[in-house]
Amino acid sequence: MSSEANKEKLSGVTTVKEIMDTATQFEIVARDFYTALVPKVSKNLRYLAKELAEEEQGHVDLFTKLANDPQVISAMEEELARPGADGQFSDCVQTPDLGENPDDQAVLQYALLRETAAMEQYTELAQTAPEGPLKTAFTFLANEEAQHKEELEKIYYEIVHSGGV
């Protein structure tokens, strides 16, 4: 990491480009992770892994569209306050190895961790982004991640606390 990048991390600021790059990578990793889980998870969670992979692909498509938006392109070097959840969000770019037969509870716990980190990151970005396509996208993503989190919490409760779906 360059001394300039270190200085930015310490100063609590980041650029729109860095946020876009990290968020796009976050969504790509999530899509690939859930896609790889589909054949490995129990039949109870197969539909969920497929659904999450599709949702994440939609987010990748959204970031790709934003990266080509002239208004966003012109704002790439603008500085924004680094979100408080940035560290946890960035950490989620790494995925755990859940093995060939992942436990339902472990899959759900990890999915909840990712959705929570994304919700917090996008909520904060929605509050600090300038008016326009970025603010709109981050608001949309924050709401969508909050819905995913709520759905996952219900499924988690059904599987872990009620003995199955």
Side-chain angles (χ1 to χ4, degrees), residues 16-18 21 32 35 46 51 63 79-80 83 85 91 93 98 102-103 110 120 126 134 136 142 148:
V16 169
K17 180 178 181 356
E18 185 181 342
D21 290 349
D32 294 349
T35 299
R46 207 158 283 157
E51 193 177 288
F63 280 115
E79 292 184 343
L80 294 173
D91 287 348
V93 171
L98 298 178
D103 172 74
Y110 183 69
E120 290 172 358
L134 281 175
T136 301
H148 294 169

Side-chain angles (χ1 to χ4, degrees), residues 34 38 41-55 104 107-108 111 148 151-152 155-156 159:
Y34 292 128
V38 171
V41 295
S42 71
K43 285 189 168 95
N44 286 342
L45 291 186
R46 207 158 283 157
Y47 80 94
L48 180 64
K50 286 179 185 173
E51 193 177 288
L52 288 168
E54 290 167 7
E55 294 284 347
D104 287 355
V107 170
L108 289 167
H148 294 169
E151 288 169 25
L152 284 167
I155 294 166
Y156 183 86
I159 288 177

